[in-house]
Amino acid sequence: MSFPDGFLWGAGTSAYQIEGHHGRGESVWDEFCRRPGAIEGGGDGSRACDSYLRWREDIELIKELGLRAYRFSTGWSRVMPGGDRPDPKALDHYERFVDALLEAGVEPVLTLNHWDMPAGLTWAERSSVNAFRTYAEAVAGRLADRVTWWITQNEPWIIALLGYQLGLHAPGVADLGTAVKAGHHVLLGHGAAADVLHAHPGTKAGAALSLFPCDPATDSEEDRAAAIGSDGYVNRWYLDPLLGGSGYPADMREHWERALGHGLDFVHDGDEAAIGGRSDFLGINYYTRRVMAAAPPAPFPWKVVGPSGDVARTDEGWEINPGALRDLLIGLSRRFPGTPLMITENGGVFGDGPTHDGQIHDNRRIAYLRDHVEAVGAAIDAGADVRGYLHWSLMDNFEWALGYRPRFGLVHVDYASGARTVKDSGRYYARLIAGGGTAPALPRIEAFG
């Protein structure tokens, strides 16, 4: 495998998951975390990793790992505490942070919306698009002269599904029609923010989509149709308006009109034109695939059944399938030629903690990392234009409704003290980066004492 010159090897985090509340305005997630039972273990983001105050320490970790790119988000509720006016102190903070990254030789990859919209705003209302545009103007006005790579929206499908369809994420709405409308407004927000960014020469704007390859459980016609429908629901409903040039896919329009019992009147004339044609790249958040079977429509004529047999899984039970990432990248590059791709998230939950020697020997994460980087390399060799790989995540953090139990990080965080410890996977990744993507030998765990 040969990764191209300038390939962006990095890792990512998001503001609400690591920063803590210090100096920030009220977020929809602050409100949601106060709901009894909303967060596993009863945690919240009030402290998280305390990175707003310990950001210099985080920069040193980034340097220690040899990262060449770092994905982070500016907290929407920090920059716009009341949802309407920017806080100069918040922008000062992010300006210092970006300057420190650049001084360290690290490419900033900035996300505008990683789910922490200010309290009082909702994607269920079209007015959120204008609020997002105002926020994008404030951040771009400070940072567009130094930041090239901008992610407007993170995982529109997850926002719609967990925030507005199932009510498992903030703002905790559980209504199918509201979810479809909210997802549309998120995409309109992408278009509005991309227009703001493109007024600044040299910026590249894209959305980061949570993409799940959908495979049929069997070769039956019914299961194949279920996989196609699931792909439309999860992937094509967002890919097509962003990159396809013809707006929302017709089969999924028909699906939603049947499921909702009415037309999509919230999609106004000109909306699809305001979404499409504005993406300079596509961000891909890949974790696993969906194995689908036919089901009675309620309201979806498909269901996730998972892979059959004994397969490798993360501690969260997600199938580990790097081959699906390879095929996804190759398929996207052929379907949307000329659109650069970037892996903006890829990682797994592995709960390894400090052992007898005080170190974290997370060999399963090392194997996961090695195999997925190899899959990216294979896709590049097959012609996919992949510009970077950003592992999720730099450090253990607040994992939304799952609280502090799942650990995704290359760096272990002791939440009580805030102490950071680089895991074996972090050291392995540093060696892989230094070797230009060549996987080093797996580490040996030495005896202690």
Side-chain angles (χ1 to χ4, degrees):
M1 294 181 297
S2 57
F3 289 87
D5 292 340
F7 191 80
L8 297 177
W9 296 104
T13 59
S14 84
Y16 194 86
Q17 292 180 274
I18 67 168
E19 283 186 348
H21 197 290
H22 186 87
R24 176 170 52 75
E26 182 86 343
S27 162
V28 293
W29 271 93
D30 295 318
E31 295 180 327
F32 187 71
C33 288
R34 289 195 288 268
R35 292 189 182 187
I39 308 299
E40 183 179 325
D44 60 34
S46 58
R47 182 176 180 182
C49 304
D50 212 17
S51 284
Y52 181 78
L53 298 178
R54 304 177 70 151
W55 65 270
R56 291 178 180 85
E57 189 176 346
D58 294 347
I59 294 280
E60 291 304 312
L61 286 171
I62 291 167
K63 291 164 63 176
E64 181 179 347
L65 296 181
L67 303 186
R68 299 175 187 172
Y70 180 59
R71 181 188 174 195
F72 68 100
S73 70
T74 49
W76 188 356
S77 56
R78 183 179 297 283
V79 173
M80 311 287 282
D84 53 354
R85 298 181 194 171
D87 178 0
K89 292 181 180 179
L91 292 168
D92 290 345
H93 166 77
Y94 290 118
E95 197 165 21
R96 287 190 295 270
F97 186 76
V98 166
D99 285 346
L101 285 175
L102 293 172
E103 185 178 347
V106 178
E107 185 83 25
V109 180
L110 191 156
T111 304
L112 286 169
N113 176 32
H114 205 125
W115 303 355
D116 63 335
M117 72 192 309
L121 297 180
T122 172
W123 287 114
E125 300 295 335
R126 198 176 179 93
S127 57
S128 61
V129 178
N130 288 330
F132 190 57
R133 179 187 292 108
T134 301
Y135 163 54
E137 289 170 345
V139 180
R142 282 289 194 99
L143 298 175
D145 61 335
R146 278 159 283 185
V147 177
T148 298
W149 298 92
W150 295 75
I151 296 168
T152 56
Q153 305 280 20
N154 183 70
E155 300 187 337
W157 178 60
I158 299 295
I159 294 174
L161 172 70
L162 297 185
Y164 295 87
Q165 181 179 328
L166 301 179
L168 299 177
H169 278 189
V173 176
D175 180 79
L176 185 61
T178 303
V180 185
K181 183 194 301 185
H184 176 61
H185 293 156
V186 170
L187 291 184
L188 279 176
H190 159 79
D195 286 346
V196 168
L197 292 166
H198 288 147
H200 298 268
T203 59
K204 298 180 186 295
L209 303 186
S210 50
L211 297 179
F212 293 82
C214 298
D215 296 326
T218 71
D219 289 332
S220 72
E221 183 177 343
E222 293 79 9
D223 285 358
R224 288 197 300 269
I228 292 170
S230 173
D231 178 62
Y233 168 56
V234 175
N235 303 319
R236 290 185 289 112
W237 185 251
Y238 301 94
L239 284 166
D240 283 15
L242 286 170
L243 302 173
S246 58
Y248 289 114
D251 65 325
M252 286 307 298
R253 272 184 172 272
E254 294 174 2
H255 164 78
W256 285 125
E257 289 170 357
R258 286 195 303 270
L260 299 177
H262 56 73
L264 306 183
D265 55 356
F266 51 82
V267 180
H268 297 179
D269 289 344
D271 279 2
E272 288 160 298
I275 294 168
R278 287 161 169 77
S279 296
D280 302 300
F281 69 99
L282 173 65
I284 297 160
N285 294 358
Y286 171 80
Y287 290 95
T288 191
R289 63 177 180 142
R290 284 161 64 96
V291 179
M292 310 303 300
F300 305 110
W302 57 76
K303 62 181 178 180
V304 180
V305 296
S308 60
D310 186 15
V311 300
R313 298 179 185 273
T314 70
D315 286 351
E316 203 60 30
W318 299 353
E319 180 194 9
I320 300 172
N321 193 321
L325 173 59
R326 177 200 60 226
D327 296 344
L328 172 66
L329 294 173
I330 294 170
L332 288 169
S333 67
R334 292 174 179 170
R335 188 173 173 207
F336 304 110
T339 301
L341 309 176
M342 182 185 294
I343 309 300
T344 41
E345 290 184 24
N346 174 239
V349 175
F350 300 103
D352 307 280
T355 58
H356 59 286
D357 53 4
Q359 302 300 308
I360 298 92
H361 303 301
D362 55 337
N363 285 349
R364 294 175 299 160
R365 179 174 288 105
I366 289 173
Y368 182 103
L369 181 58
R370 176 198 62 198
D371 294 346
H372 284 78
V373 166
E374 183 177 299
V376 175
I380 292 172
D381 288 345
D385 183 9
V386 185
R387 302 294 179 89
Y389 174 87
L390 308 178
H391 190 77
W392 187 268
S393 59
L394 173 65
M395 66 183 79
D396 299 332
N397 53 40
F398 176 70
E399 192 51 41
W400 308 111
L402 299 178
Y404 289 96
R405 175 184 55 78
R407 291 185 178 267
F408 278 96
L410 299 166
V411 175
H412 180 272
V413 178
D414 179 85
Y415 296 117
S417 67
R420 281 95 157 121
T421 304
V422 176
K423 302 177 184 178
D424 282 3
S425 60
R427 296 189 182 91
Y428 181 89
Y429 192 32
R431 292 169 58 204
L432 186 149
I433 293 171
T438 301
L442 293 178
R444 175 182 175 184
I445 301 173
E446 300 292 345
F448 179 73

